[in-house]
Amino acid sequence: MEKEQWVTDGKAAFRSVFDGEPDCISVAPGRVNLIGGHTDYNDGYVLPVAIDRHTVVAGRRRPDRTVVAHSQTLAKTIRFDLSSVEQQRDASWGEYVAGVIDALNTESSLGGMEFVITGDIPLGAGVSSSAALELSVGALVRDLFDLQVDDRTLADRCWKAETEFVGVECGIMDQYAAAFGKADHALFLDCQDQTHDAVRLSDDVRIVVIDTNVKHELAASAYNDRVSECQEGVAEFDALLSHTVTSLRDVSVEEFERHAESIRQPVRDRCEHVISENDRVRMAAEALESGDSERCGTLMFASHESLKELYEVSCPELDLVVRCAHETEGVIGARMTGGGFGGSVVALVRPDTISSFAETLHKVYPAETGIEPDVYTCRTSDGVSVSTSQQ
Ligand code: GLA
């Protein structure tokens, strides 16, 4: 949907809950990550794309210290006083809202506010509805209270909200993609120094996202287990190598191979995935830069294989979709995106193959799993932006 439409929808959503008009409407995109699975919290590289699925927040200030947030998508309202933000721990969307407000409340004293949240990002599909919610709430608050916070700081505050307030040990990729996404481009993001280059996507491929519509129980605990296994790998390599190792980014493929035998399993496999994946992301960015989408696609398939075999975060449903992709001519690459154990696959597809690929998926996937997949072609999008009601 176009941005103008979102502004109109945001205003309408606001009017359906509150009297009068919102002052600002903010819009933030979801994302898919073309390659770089589980590298962001290891100070590595990722290649996300902001997609044309958005979270919209329309709101205005209040004369008191109360925050009222209504989710149109979930038909739920939360209300809290700014002095008791800390108590908003209900393990749901409200916690993300409270976390962002808490993280921004350090800039200067915020006042009360009321806003409505709407949008079309599928929840739990692995396209980061949470970061889009954080960034859109954050950008709205920044505008309403005229906070002197640049986009990088905003992304960082939203990341802190997720890691420190909500308690998910994620990396910075999702918040960064929602903040800095650029239409027609992927972001080659270095998670160590938090810089990025926009890499143009070629016109000869489309991004197709396939939501498996499964989310296995294991997802949250396995994510945190992988984070600690990688930390163990860092400690091992720091002891083994003559230079300091503060993250797996500091270990080369050659150093890994030299010492692999002495690292216990499954830590060795986890490290091998991360170290080789960083190389794949670099090569994929170079391939896209030079217009070689095929090469990027081949690296995506290799990434999936590594996530499945070495990092062990895939599941039969994700593997089935990637297998279908591999067997369909005109699908040049595919891999799971997001944390894993369900969620979505991202595929690079030739435009004239999209409908036959979708047809195959709608036939094969339900036949094997009993579940209908959601298949959608994504356009790329810019990062978060805010409009005032008058615009
Ligand atoms: C989740 C996290 C991201 C990233 C991916 C795996 O989506 O939110 O930070 O770690 O998993 O690449």
Side-chain angles (χ1 to χ4, degrees):
M1 209 185 283
E2 296 302 327
K3 194 175 150 205
E4 294 69 37
Q5 186 61 47
W6 279 128
V7 172
T8 309
D9 287 6
K11 283 186 195 171
F14 185 88
R15 280 187 219 114
S16 71
V17 179
F18 303 103
D19 284 336
E21 294 290 320
D23 288 336
C24 303
I25 300 99
S26 62
V27 184
R31 65 95 190 93
V32 287
N33 184 21
L34 294 182
I35 193 163
H38 291 265
T39 46
D40 62 348
Y41 54 83
N42 285 301
D43 275 358
Y45 300 105
V46 286
L47 198 61
V49 177
I51 58 172
D52 60 338
R53 294 292 181 121
H54 295 95
T55 296
V56 181
V57 181
R60 68 180 174 206
R61 291 166 77 142
R62 285 171 59 106
D64 56 14
R65 308 253 314 143
T66 305
V67 176
V68 183
H70 176 79
S71 163
Q72 194 177 53
T73 321
L74 302 169
K76 285 195 174 137
T77 305
I78 54 165
R79 172 186 283 267
F80 56 89
D81 190 88
L82 276 171
S83 56
S84 62
V85 182
E86 265 299 315
Q87 282 139 40
Q88 293 305 306
R89 301 213 166 268
D90 60 353
S92 74
W93 64 279
E95 210 174 338
Y96 291 94
V97 170
V100 171
I101 291 175
D102 189 51
L104 289 171
N105 210 3
T106 56
E107 290 309 314
S108 63
S109 205
L110 302 179
M113 62 193 104
E114 52 200 14
F115 52 85
V116 173
I117 303 158
T118 184
D120 66 349
I121 305 186
L123 307 181
V127 291
S128 205
S129 56
S130 55
L133 174 60
E134 290 156 9
L135 264 296
S136 53
V137 169
L140 181 96
V141 173
R142 175 173 68 181
D143 256 56
L144 287 180
F145 295 95
D146 214 8
L147 305 182
Q148 299 309 302
V149 176
D150 62 16
D151 282 348
R152 179 185 301 269
T153 311
L154 187 66
D156 192 58
R157 293 291 160 83
C158 291
W159 174 73
K160 284 216 168 79
E162 183 140 357
T163 50
E164 290 172 13
F165 196 94
V166 183
V168 181
E169 295 184 64
C170 65
I172 62 158
M173 170 174 67
D174 302 343
Q175 290 75 21
Y176 210 95
F180 292 100
K182 187 170 175 195
D184 301 321
H185 291 76
L187 295 184
F188 176 56
L189 167 62
D190 179 340
C191 299
Q192 191 167 55
D193 62 13
Q194 305 192 0
T195 55
H196 72 273
D197 286 322
V199 182
R200 199 174 176 85
L201 293 167
S202 147
D203 284 344
D204 62 355
V205 283
R206 297 284 178 275
I207 295 169
V208 175
V209 173
I210 305 101
D211 184 355
T212 59
N213 282 321
V214 295
K215 192 83 211 160
H216 294 294
E217 276 300 304
L218 221 59
S221 65
Y223 190 93
N224 291 346
D225 288 348
R226 297 301 179 276
V227 174
S228 14
E229 284 160 357
C230 290
Q231 282 161 355
E232 188 181 328
V234 169
E236 289 277 347
F237 278 106
D238 191 43
L240 285 164
L241 297 177
S242 53
H243 60 84
T244 310
V245 175
T246 53
S247 73
L248 290 177
R249 170 74 171 275
D250 300 329
V251 183
S252 68
V253 172
E254 188 273 322
E255 285 167 337
F256 169 78
E257 280 167 0
R258 192 150 25 99
H259 294 285
E261 287 300 308
S262 56
I263 311 277
R264 80 165 177 97
Q265 288 290 27
V267 175
R268 184 197 309 165
D269 282 351
R270 310 299 188 237
C271 294
E272 183 175 355
H273 164 73
V274 173
I275 293 164
S276 60
E277 184 79 348
N278 277 329
D279 264 18
R280 281 188 287 271
V281 183
R282 268 200 306 258
M283 290 188 278
E286 275 166 27
L288 287 182
E289 286 280 5
S290 62
D292 189 352
S293 313
E294 289 277 347
R295 170 99 182 109
C296 177
T298 307
L299 291 160
M300 288 167 75
F301 281 128
S303 165
H304 185 79
E305 199 53 25
S306 179
L307 286 158
K308 175 181 173 222
E309 299 296 337
L310 298 174
Y311 218 66
E312 296 182 286
V313 287
S314 189
C315 64
E317 294 85 355
L318 288 165
D319 296 340
L320 173 61
V321 172
V322 173
R323 202 160 61 238
C324 281
H326 206 248
E327 287 164 5
T328 308
E329 206 181 316
V331 179
I332 62 174
R335 62 178 284 277
M336 51 160 277
T337 181
F341 299 101
S344 292
V345 165
V346 55
L348 282 188
V349 186
R350 298 281 182 215
D352 57 3
T353 308
I354 294 173
S355 53
S356 62
F357 179 42
E359 218 172 280
T360 308
L361 288 165
H362 283 298
K363 210 183 300 160
V364 173
Y365 187 81
E368 280 201 33
T369 63
I371 303 162
E372 269 302 327
D374 285 315
V375 183
Y376 44 97
T377 307
C378 292
R379 284 189 296 141
T380 53
S381 167
D382 284 327
V384 69
S385 64
V386 182
S387 310
T388 55
S389 224
Q390 288 73 41
Q391 281 173 333

